[in-house]
Every structure is written in C-alpha cells, then in structure tokens.
Amino acid sequence: MRIVIAGGHGQIALRLSRLLSARGGYEVAGIIRNPAQGDDLRAAGAEPVLCDLESASVEEVAAHLQGAGAAVFAAGAGPGSGAGRKDTVDRAAAVLFAEAAERAGVRRHIVVSSMGADPAHEGEDIFDAYLRAKGEADAYVRGREGLDWTILKPGRLTDEPGTGQVRLEASTGRGDIPRDDVAAVLAELVDSSATAGLTLELIGGTTPVAVAVKDVAGN
C-alpha cells in the first residue's frame, strides 16, 4: 500500500514514515520542496517526492498521488511564518492536496489539523490566523464527496517520548500530546476506513492507541 504524506519532512511526518516503513507492507512517499531534506526522508524509510505545494497545480500533485492507497496532509507553515503563509500552506496547500487526491482517485484522506481550528475563529494574532486557516481547510475537506476523510486535531504538541496511551474522541478538552503518539494514531488511522467522516481530538490519556482508534471506529 502506497502512502503519500504532504509535509514529508515535518516532525510528525518523519515519525509516521518510520512507523509505517517498519511495519512492512507499506510504500511511503513524502512530499518536500527542499531537495536537501531527501536524505532525512530516506533514513525514515520514505521516498522523497519533490513538489512545492504553494506553487504546484492540482494536476502535478495528482500525478504524485496516482496509485496511492491513502494520502496524509501533515504540512504546515511552521513557527516563525507570517499570516500570509498560514493561508498559502495551512489552508491553500491543504485544499490543493485534497483536490489532487480526489482527482487521482485516492479516497482515504487524513488531515493533521489543530485543536481549536475554526474558520470563524476571531483574533488578529498570527496564531489566530493559523486557526482560521486550518479551520477553513478542514471545512473544505469535509465537503469533498470523493474522499473518505478523517480529521485529527491534536492538543499541544510535545517532544516527550510517546507513551502509547491516548484519549481520542470527538471532544477531549485541552491537553498535551507527544508527537510520537500523534504519529502512532495516524499510522492506525491509515488503515481504519471506519473512521471516515470523523473529526477527532487527541490528547494524552490512558487508552492504548490501537484500542482508542477501534473504539472511535465502532469496532
């Protein structure tokens, strides 16, 4: 099964690539715009795919998605970026990636969003712009009939070692979550099509990752 990850050099994406490639049965590709990042992806078991989601066409991105079994949007403008790039990456690139997945016939679509993402979020700070951008992208994805989407909204991300224990629900309240555990949940969601149509919040908890995903999927 081929998995294509947008934002392939991101901290969560690299963790996800390592998990999937270690499991076997997966061919992982990570979309990056900086060729210097290619070795990091290869070390994580992923094929680097050079494509700038801020300037590429839907057709170009769709070509990279051909034959994939799932697409994961894990890209972000990142710390230090202004409101303009929150719009071009966190909103527009997410929209482009969803359109391209639909064009390529890749139904399984997972979005790494953010707790608090809301197109109607108010405020003038950069983080407010970020939450609006993510919210607008999420709303767009939810409207795509050609996608079996799941939107994952982690709480405050940390670099603490993962525990493998999470709380995954439609609404969890605020909390922290290690990036390791976010990647572990994403790895389970890739194959959990029964979670299609769900928007889920994720924080640290007491339920093993695989059990938490099965619970929300109704299995």
Side-chain angles (χ1 to χ4, degrees):
M1 183 178 182
R2 179 176 171 83
I3 313 295
V4 180
I5 306 172
H9 194 255
Q11 295 184 66
I12 291 172
L14 288 172
R15 286 169 167 83
L16 177 59
S17 293
R18 292 187 194 101
L19 287 174
L20 292 176
S21 61
R23 285 185 178 184
Y26 294 97
E27 177 187 336
V28 185
I31 294 178
I32 54 175
R33 65 174 186 167
N34 182 355
Q37 297 170 342
D39 286 345
D40 290 339
L41 269 71
R42 294 184 189 95
E47 168 202 351
V49 174
L50 196 61
C51 179
D52 186 348
L53 295 178
E54 289 181 89
S55 61
S57 68
V58 173
E59 290 75 16
E60 288 170 332
V61 180
H64 295 306
L65 285 161
Q66 288 293 333
V72 179
F73 186 83
S81 58
R85 293 204 70 227
K86 303 304 184 191
D87 184 69
T88 58
V89 179
D90 293 290
R91 183 197 62 79
V95 167
L96 174 73
F97 195 61
E99 288 180 348
E102 201 167 25
R103 183 79 58 91
V106 182
R107 291 200 62 92
R108 189 69 180 119
H109 195 83
I110 301 167
V111 176
V112 182
S113 182
S114 175
M115 195 173 289
D118 183 346
H121 181 83
E122 297 181 352
E124 300 304 322
D125 291 340
I126 297 298
F127 191 66
D128 297 321
Y130 166 76
L131 291 177
R132 280 193 296 274
K134 296 296 281 187
E136 289 169 9
D138 293 350
Y140 180 85
V141 170
R142 290 188 191 103
R144 307 312 299 176
E145 294 183 357
L147 300 178
D148 295 329
W149 54 265
T150 301
I151 295 173
L152 184 66
K153 294 185 169 187
R156 191 180 76 86
L157 299 171
T158 76
D159 288 324
E160 296 296 318
T163 67
Q165 308 279 317
V166 300
R167 183 178 175 189
L168 180 69
E169 299 171 13
S171 178
T172 61
R174 299 285 177 176
D176 294 350
I177 182 74
R179 288 179 173 86
D180 287 347
D181 289 333
V182 177
V185 169
L186 289 170
E188 293 295 324
L189 289 175
V190 162
D191 276 338
S192 300
S193 58
T195 62
L198 298 180
T199 298
L200 301 168
E201 294 185 351
L202 174 66
I203 58 174
T206 59
T207 305
V209 166
V211 175
V213 172
K214 287 179 180 177
D215 284 350
V216 297
N219 296 334

mmCIF file of all heavy atoms in Angstrom, residues 162-205:
data_model
loop_
_atom_site.group_PDB
_atom_site.id
_atom_site.type_symbol
_atom_site.label_atom_id
_atom_site.label_comp_id
_atom_site.label_asym_id
_atom_site.label_seq_id
_atom_site.Cartn_x
_atom_site.Cartn_y
_atom_site.Cartn_z
ATOM 1 N N GLY A 162 6.783 9.136 23.437
ATOM 2 C CA GLY A 162 5.403 8.662 23.399
ATOM 3 C C GLY A 162 5.140 7.616 24.464
ATOM 4 O O GLY A 162 6.033 6.843 24.835
ATOM 5 N N THR A 163 3.900 7.594 24.924
ATOM 6 C CA THR A 163 3.504 6.607 25.928
ATOM 7 C C THR A 163 2.691 5.476 25.333
ATOM 8 O O THR A 163 2.533 4.421 25.954
ATOM 9 C CB THR A 163 2.662 7.271 27.033
ATOM 10 O OG1 THR A 163 1.409 7.693 26.478
ATOM 11 C CG2 THR A 163 3.397 8.473 27.626
ATOM 12 N N GLY A 164 2.153 5.700 24.126
ATOM 13 C CA GLY A 164 1.254 4.715 23.535
ATOM 14 C C GLY A 164 -0.126 4.726 24.147
ATOM 15 O O GLY A 164 -0.970 3.896 23.810
ATOM 16 N N GLN A 165 -0.380 5.702 25.040
ATOM 17 C CA GLN A 165 -1.664 5.812 25.725
ATOM 18 C C GLN A 165 -2.262 7.173 25.391
ATOM 19 O O GLN A 165 -1.617 8.206 25.613
ATOM 20 C CB GLN A 165 -1.482 5.703 27.244
ATOM 21 C CG GLN A 165 -0.698 4.482 27.689
ATOM 22 C CD GLN A 165 -1.549 3.233 27.728
ATOM 23 O OE1 GLN A 165 -2.687 3.264 28.192
ATOM 24 N NE2 GLN A 165 -1.008 2.126 27.259
ATOM 25 N N VAL A 166 -3.488 7.181 24.879
ATOM 26 C CA VAL A 166 -4.072 8.434 24.386
ATOM 27 C C VAL A 166 -5.536 8.552 24.782
ATOM 28 O O VAL A 166 -6.156 7.595 25.261
ATOM 29 C CB VAL A 166 -3.966 8.533 22.850
ATOM 30 C CG1 VAL A 166 -2.509 8.483 22.396
ATOM 31 C CG2 VAL A 166 -4.785 7.435 22.164
ATOM 32 N N ARG A 167 -6.068 9.724 24.562
ATOM 33 C CA ARG A 167 -7.507 9.960 24.609
ATOM 34 C C ARG A 167 -7.907 10.492 23.246
ATOM 35 O O ARG A 167 -7.451 11.559 22.827
ATOM 36 C CB ARG A 167 -7.866 10.957 25.710
ATOM 37 C CG ARG A 167 -9.367 11.191 25.839
ATOM 38 C CD ARG A 167 -9.705 12.139 26.967
ATOM 39 N NE ARG A 167 -11.131 12.435 27.000
ATOM 40 C CZ ARG A 167 -11.674 13.367 27.767
ATOM 41 N NH1 ARG A 167 -10.919 14.103 28.575
ATOM 42 N NH2 ARG A 167 -12.980 13.577 27.730
ATOM 43 N N LEU A 168 -8.723 9.765 22.533
ATOM 44 C CA LEU A 168 -9.129 10.081 21.163
ATOM 45 C C LEU A 168 -10.642 10.094 21.106
ATOM 46 O O LEU A 168 -11.282 9.041 21.195
ATOM 47 C CB LEU A 168 -8.552 9.038 20.204
ATOM 48 C CG LEU A 168 -8.862 9.201 18.720
ATOM 49 C CD1 LEU A 168 -8.145 10.422 18.136
ATOM 50 C CD2 LEU A 168 -8.455 7.937 17.947
ATOM 51 N N GLU A 169 -11.219 11.289 20.975
ATOM 52 C CA GLU A 169 -12.672 11.427 20.989
ATOM 53 C C GLU A 169 -13.076 12.617 20.121
ATOM 54 O O GLU A 169 -12.229 13.402 19.693
ATOM 55 C CB GLU A 169 -13.170 11.661 22.429
ATOM 56 C CG GLU A 169 -12.849 10.545 23.398
ATOM 57 C CD GLU A 169 -13.164 10.909 24.835
ATOM 58 O OE1 GLU A 169 -13.859 11.941 25.045
ATOM 59 O OE2 GLU A 169 -12.707 10.196 25.745
ATOM 60 N N ALA A 170 -14.368 12.755 19.917
ATOM 61 C CA ALA A 170 -14.865 13.913 19.168
ATOM 62 C C ALA A 170 -14.521 15.203 19.897
ATOM 63 O O ALA A 170 -14.237 16.230 19.268
ATOM 64 C CB ALA A 170 -16.373 13.808 18.957
ATOM 65 N N SER A 171 -14.523 15.164 21.217
ATOM 66 C CA SER A 171 -14.147 16.329 22.021
ATOM 67 C C SER A 171 -13.457 15.837 23.281
ATOM 68 O O SER A 171 -14.044 15.075 24.055
ATOM 69 C CB SER A 171 -15.385 17.155 22.380
ATOM 70 O OG SER A 171 -15.036 18.256 23.182
ATOM 71 N N THR A 172 -12.218 16.277 23.475
ATOM 72 C CA THR A 172 -11.431 15.804 24.616
ATOM 73 C C THR A 172 -11.176 16.900 25.647
ATOM 74 O O THR A 172 -10.831 16.613 26.781
ATOM 75 C CB THR A 172 -10.056 15.299 24.158
ATOM 76 O OG1 THR A 172 -9.342 16.378 23.541
ATOM 77 C CG2 THR A 172 -10.193 14.139 23.182
ATOM 78 N N GLY A 173 -11.304 18.175 25.244
ATOM 79 C CA GLY A 173 -10.793 19.243 26.082
ATOM 80 C C GLY A 173 -9.304 19.409 25.836
ATOM 81 O O GLY A 173 -8.671 18.599 25.143
ATOM 82 N N ARG A 174 -8.740 20.476 26.378
ATOM 83 C CA ARG A 174 -7.332 20.787 26.129
ATOM 84 C C ARG A 174 -6.411 19.784 26.812
ATOM 85 O O ARG A 174 -6.765 19.174 27.823
ATOM 86 C CB ARG A 174 -7.019 22.188 26.649
ATOM 87 C CG ARG A 174 -7.835 23.289 25.965
ATOM 88 C CD ARG A 174 -7.327 23.565 24.580
ATOM 89 N NE ARG A 174 -8.126 24.553 23.887
ATOM 90 C CZ ARG A 174 -7.836 25.027 22.678
ATOM 91 N NH1 ARG A 174 -6.781 24.591 22.031
ATOM 92 N NH2 ARG A 174 -8.617 25.921 22.103
ATOM 93 N N GLY A 175 -5.223 19.636 26.251
ATOM 94 C CA GLY A 175 -4.224 18.753 26.842
ATOM 95 C C GLY A 175 -3.023 18.629 25.943
ATOM 96 O O GLY A 175 -3.023 19.097 24.801
ATOM 97 N N ASP A 176 -1.974 18.021 26.462
ATOM 98 C CA ASP A 176 -0.741 17.805 25.708
ATOM 99 C C ASP A 176 -0.770 16.434 25.040
ATOM 100 O O ASP A 176 -1.478 15.520 25.479
ATOM 101 C CB ASP A 176 0.479 17.883 26.628
ATOM 102 C CG ASP A 176 0.703 19.273 27.198
ATOM 103 O OD1 ASP A 176 0.031 20.226 26.733
ATOM 104 O OD2 ASP A 176 1.543 19.412 28.113
ATOM 105 N N ILE A 177 0.048 16.302 23.998
ATOM 106 C CA ILE A 177 0.193 15.007 23.321
ATOM 107 C C ILE A 177 1.578 14.943 22.682
ATOM 108 O O ILE A 177 1.965 15.847 21.938
ATOM 109 C CB ILE A 177 -0.919 14.803 22.250
ATOM 110 C CG1 ILE A 177 -0.793 13.422 21.595
ATOM 111 C CG2 ILE A 177 -0.928 15.913 21.220
ATOM 112 C CD1 ILE A 177 -1.226 12.280 22.447
ATOM 113 N N PRO A 178 2.370 13.907 22.986
ATOM 114 C CA PRO A 178 3.668 13.765 22.325
ATOM 115 C C PRO A 178 3.500 13.522 20.821
ATOM 116 O O PRO A 178 2.579 12.827 20.392
ATOM 117 C CB PRO A 178 4.288 12.542 23.013
ATOM 118 C CG PRO A 178 3.559 12.409 24.315
ATOM 119 C CD PRO A 178 2.164 12.879 24.023
ATOM 120 N N ARG A 179 4.420 14.087 20.062
ATOM 121 C CA ARG A 179 4.380 13.858 18.611
ATOM 122 C C ARG A 179 4.482 12.374 18.281
ATOM 123 O O ARG A 179 3.914 11.906 17.297
ATOM 124 C CB ARG A 179 5.502 14.649 17.931
ATOM 125 C CG ARG A 179 5.261 16.156 17.897
ATOM 126 C CD ARG A 179 6.420 16.886 17.223
ATOM 127 N NE ARG A 179 6.130 18.298 17.027
ATOM 128 C CZ ARG A 179 6.346 19.244 17.941
ATOM 129 N NH1 ARG A 179 6.857 18.898 19.138
ATOM 130 N NH2 ARG A 179 6.053 20.500 17.683
ATOM 131 N N ASP A 180 5.218 11.617 19.080
ATOM 132 C CA ASP A 180 5.303 10.169 18.865
ATOM 133 C C ASP A 180 3.912 9.538 18.845
ATOM 134 O O ASP A 180 3.614 8.680 18.002
ATOM 135 C CB ASP A 180 6.107 9.509 19.993
ATOM 136 C CG ASP A 180 7.597 9.774 19.915
ATOM 137 O OD1 ASP A 180 8.067 10.269 18.871
ATOM 138 O OD2 ASP A 180 8.293 9.481 20.914
ATOM 139 N N ASP A 181 3.071 9.953 19.786
ATOM 140 C CA ASP A 181 1.736 9.353 19.884
ATOM 141 C C ASP A 181 0.805 9.842 18.783
ATOM 142 O O ASP A 181 -0.083 9.102 18.344
ATOM 143 C CB ASP A 181 1.138 9.631 21.260
ATOM 144 C CG ASP A 181 1.843 8.840 22.363
ATOM 145 O OD1 ASP A 181 2.395 7.770 22.053
ATOM 146 O OD2 ASP A 181 1.844 9.305 23.517
ATOM 147 N N VAL A 182 1.002 11.073 18.313
ATOM 148 C CA VAL A 182 0.225 11.545 17.160
ATOM 149 C C VAL A 182 0.537 10.672 15.946
ATOM 150 O O VAL A 182 -0.370 10.213 15.235
ATOM 151 C CB VAL A 182 0.519 13.022 16.849
ATOM 152 C CG1 VAL A 182 -0.244 13.465 15.595
ATOM 153 C CG2 VAL A 182 0.150 13.915 18.024
ATOM 154 N N ALA A 183 1.830 10.420 15.720
ATOM 155 C CA ALA A 183 2.226 9.581 14.582
ATOM 156 C C ALA A 183 1.664 8.178 14.722
ATOM 157 O O ALA A 183 1.217 7.572 13.728
ATOM 158 C CB ALA A 183 3.744 9.541 14.474
ATOM 159 N N ALA A 184 1.661 7.648 15.935
ATOM 160 C CA ALA A 184 1.131 6.299 16.151
ATOM 161 C C ALA A 184 -0.357 6.229 15.835
ATOM 162 O O ALA A 184 -0.840 5.250 15.243
ATOM 163 C CB ALA A 184 1.394 5.865 17.591
ATOM 164 N N VAL A 185 -1.095 7.264 16.219
ATOM 165 C CA VAL A 185 -2.525 7.306 15.895
ATOM 166 C C VAL A 185 -2.729 7.409 14.390
ATOM 167 O O VAL A 185 -3.584 6.714 13.814
ATOM 168 C CB VAL A 185 -3.216 8.471 16.635
ATOM 169 C CG1 VAL A 185 -4.625 8.695 16.104
ATOM 170 C CG2 VAL A 185 -3.259 8.195 18.131
ATOM 171 N N LEU A 186 -1.950 8.252 13.731
ATOM 172 C CA LEU A 186 -2.060 8.374 12.277
ATOM 173 C C LEU A 186 -1.790 7.033 11.592
ATOM 174 O O LEU A 186 -2.472 6.677 10.616
ATOM 175 C CB LEU A 186 -1.080 9.424 11.761
ATOM 176 C CG LEU A 186 -1.410 10.874 12.106
ATOM 177 C CD1 LEU A 186 -0.234 11.776 11.759
ATOM 178 C CD2 LEU A 186 -2.661 11.346 11.377
ATOM 179 N N ALA A 187 -0.808 6.298 12.068
ATOM 180 C CA ALA A 187 -0.485 5.003 11.463
ATOM 181 C C ALA A 187 -1.673 4.053 11.566
ATOM 182 O O ALA A 187 -1.928 3.264 10.648
ATOM 183 C CB ALA A 187 0.747 4.403 12.142
ATOM 184 N N GLU A 188 -2.412 4.116 12.673
ATOM 185 C CA GLU A 188 -3.603 3.286 12.806
ATOM 186 C C GLU A 188 -4.740 3.791 11.915
ATOM 187 O O GLU A 188 -5.489 3.009 11.335
ATOM 188 C CB GLU A 188 -4.067 3.263 14.264
ATOM 189 C CG GLU A 188 -3.123 2.561 15.220
ATOM 190 C CD GLU A 188 -2.988 1.081 14.933
ATOM 191 O OE1 GLU A 188 -3.989 0.456 14.532
ATOM 192 O OE2 GLU A 188 -1.870 0.548 15.111
ATOM 193 N N LEU A 189 -4.866 5.117 11.813
ATOM 194 C CA LEU A 189 -5.958 5.686 11.016
ATOM 195 C C LEU A 189 -5.817 5.381 9.528
ATOM 196 O O LEU A 189 -6.820 5.301 8.815
ATOM 197 C CB LEU A 189 -6.018 7.200 11.217
ATOM 198 C CG LEU A 189 -6.499 7.694 12.577
ATOM 199 C CD1 LEU A 189 -6.392 9.214 12.649
ATOM 200 C CD2 LEU A 189 -7.940 7.258 12.838
ATOM 201 N N VAL A 190 -4.579 5.241 9.065
ATOM 202 C CA VAL A 190 -4.351 4.969 7.638
ATOM 203 C C VAL A 190 -5.181 3.770 7.175
ATOM 204 O O VAL A 190 -5.768 3.786 6.085
ATOM 205 C CB VAL A 190 -2.846 4.734 7.383
ATOM 206 C CG1 VAL A 190 -2.624 4.022 6.062
ATOM 207 C CG2 VAL A 190 -2.089 6.063 7.395
ATOM 208 N N ASP A 191 -5.232 2.745 8.006
ATOM 209 C CA ASP A 191 -5.951 1.522 7.634
ATOM 210 C C ASP A 191 -7.357 1.456 8.217
ATOM 211 O O ASP A 191 -8.066 0.468 8.008
ATOM 212 C CB ASP A 191 -5.171 0.295 8.114
ATOM 213 C CG ASP A 191 -4.089 -0.104 7.127
ATOM 214 O OD1 ASP A 191 -4.193 0.266 5.947
ATOM 215 O OD2 ASP A 191 -3.137 -0.781 7.544
ATOM 216 N N SER A 192 -7.770 2.470 8.952
ATOM 217 C CA SER A 192 -9.063 2.427 9.642
ATOM 218 C C SER A 192 -10.096 3.250 8.896
ATOM 219 O O SER A 192 -10.474 4.342 9.323
ATOM 220 C CB SER A 192 -8.902 2.932 11.079
ATOM 221 O OG SER A 192 -7.978 2.141 11.791
ATOM 222 N N SER A 193 -10.558 2.723 7.774
ATOM 223 C CA SER A 193 -11.518 3.469 6.967
ATOM 224 C C SER A 193 -12.849 3.650 7.679
ATOM 225 O O SER A 193 -13.655 4.503 7.300
ATOM 226 C CB SER A 193 -11.738 2.774 5.614
ATOM 227 O OG SER A 193 -12.187 1.445 5.816
ATOM 228 N N ALA A 194 -13.074 2.883 8.750
ATOM 229 C CA ALA A 194 -14.312 3.047 9.515
ATOM 230 C C ALA A 194 -14.332 4.372 10.269
ATOM 231 O O ALA A 194 -15.380 4.761 10.798
ATOM 232 C CB ALA A 194 -14.483 1.886 10.499
ATOM 233 N N THR A 195 -13.205 5.064 10.321
ATOM 234 C CA THR A 195 -13.178 6.396 10.944
ATOM 235 C C THR A 195 -13.469 7.494 9.923
ATOM 236 O O THR A 195 -13.415 8.676 10.264
ATOM 237 C CB THR A 195 -11.823 6.679 11.615
ATOM 238 O OG1 THR A 195 -10.784 6.672 10.621
ATOM 239 C CG2 THR A 195 -11.515 5.655 12.695
ATOM 240 N N ALA A 196 -13.781 7.125 8.687
ATOM 241 C CA ALA A 196 -14.094 8.130 7.672
ATOM 242 C C ALA A 196 -15.293 8.958 8.101
ATOM 243 O O ALA A 196 -16.270 8.439 8.643
ATOM 244 C CB ALA A 196 -14.376 7.466 6.331
ATOM 245 N N GLY A 197 -15.187 10.271 7.876
ATOM 246 C CA GLY A 197 -16.259 11.174 8.233
ATOM 247 C C GLY A 197 -16.193 11.678 9.662
ATOM 248 O O GLY A 197 -17.088 12.397 10.107
ATOM 249 N N LEU A 198 -15.114 11.335 10.380
ATOM 250 C CA LEU A 198 -14.979 11.751 11.771
ATOM 251 C C LEU A 198 -13.936 12.857 11.923
ATOM 252 O O LEU A 198 -12.888 12.830 11.276
ATOM 253 C CB LEU A 198 -14.573 10.566 12.655
ATOM 254 C CG LEU A 198 -15.542 9.387 12.728
ATOM 255 C CD1 LEU A 198 -14.973 8.318 13.652
ATOM 256 C CD2 LEU A 198 -16.920 9.826 13.190
ATOM 257 N N THR A 199 -14.240 13.811 12.789
ATOM 258 C CA THR A 199 -13.272 14.801 13.234
ATOM 259 C C THR A 199 -12.968 14.478 14.689
ATOM 260 O O THR A 199 -13.871 14.458 15.533
ATOM 261 C CB THR A 199 -13.831 16.226 13.110
ATOM 262 O OG1 THR A 199 -14.120 16.496 11.730
ATOM 263 C CG2 THR A 199 -12.816 17.242 13.609
ATOM 264 N N LEU A 200 -11.696 14.199 14.988
ATOM 265 C CA LEU A 200 -11.311 13.663 16.285
ATOM 266 C C LEU A 200 -10.272 14.545 16.968
ATOM 267 O O LEU A 200 -9.330 15.015 16.324
ATOM 268 C CB LEU A 200 -10.726 12.259 16.114
ATOM 269 C CG LEU A 200 -11.656 11.229 15.459
ATOM 270 C CD1 LEU A 200 -10.872 9.987 15.075
ATOM 271 C CD2 LEU A 200 -12.806 10.876 16.403
ATOM 272 N N GLU A 201 -10.437 14.742 18.257
ATOM 273 C CA GLU A 201 -9.432 15.430 19.055
ATOM 274 C C GLU A 201 -8.565 14.392 19.760
ATOM 275 O O GLU A 201 -9.024 13.290 20.079
ATOM 276 C CB GLU A 201 -10.089 16.370 20.063
ATOM 277 C CG GLU A 201 -10.811 17.526 19.386
ATOM 278 C CD GLU A 201 -11.374 18.543 20.374
ATOM 279 O OE1 GLU A 201 -11.371 18.282 21.597
ATOM 280 O OE2 GLU A 201 -11.820 19.625 19.917
ATOM 281 N N LEU A 202 -7.300 14.765 20.000
ATOM 282 C CA LEU A 202 -6.328 13.807 20.534
ATOM 283 C C LEU A 202 -5.464 14.467 21.592
ATOM 284 O O LEU A 202 -4.826 15.492 21.331
ATOM 285 C CB LEU A 202 -5.450 13.284 19.388
ATOM 286 C CG LEU A 202 -4.272 12.383 19.779
ATOM 287 C CD1 LEU A 202 -4.774 11.061 20.358
ATOM 288 C CD2 LEU A 202 -3.375 12.139 18.566
ATOM 289 N N ILE A 203 -5.442 13.876 22.782
ATOM 290 C CA ILE A 203 -4.531 14.300 23.844
ATOM 291 C C ILE A 203 -4.001 13.044 24.532
ATOM 292 O O ILE A 203 -4.431 11.926 24.242
ATOM 293 C CB ILE A 203 -5.222 15.216 24.879
ATOM 294 C CG1 ILE A 203 -6.424 14.520 25.519
ATOM 295 C CG2 ILE A 203 -5.646 16.538 24.234
ATOM 296 C CD1 ILE A 203 -7.067 15.299 26.656
ATOM 297 N N GLY A 204 -3.061 13.231 25.446
ATOM 298 C CA GLY A 204 -2.573 12.107 26.213
ATOM 299 C C GLY A 204 -3.689 11.514 27.057
ATOM 300 O O GLY A 204 -4.606 12.210 27.492
ATOM 301 N N GLY A 205 -3.612 10.200 27.273
ATOM 302 C CA GLY A 205 -4.679 9.542 28.026
ATOM 303 C C GLY A 205 -4.249 8.211 28.584
ATOM 304 O O GLY A 205 -3.052 7.990 28.846
#
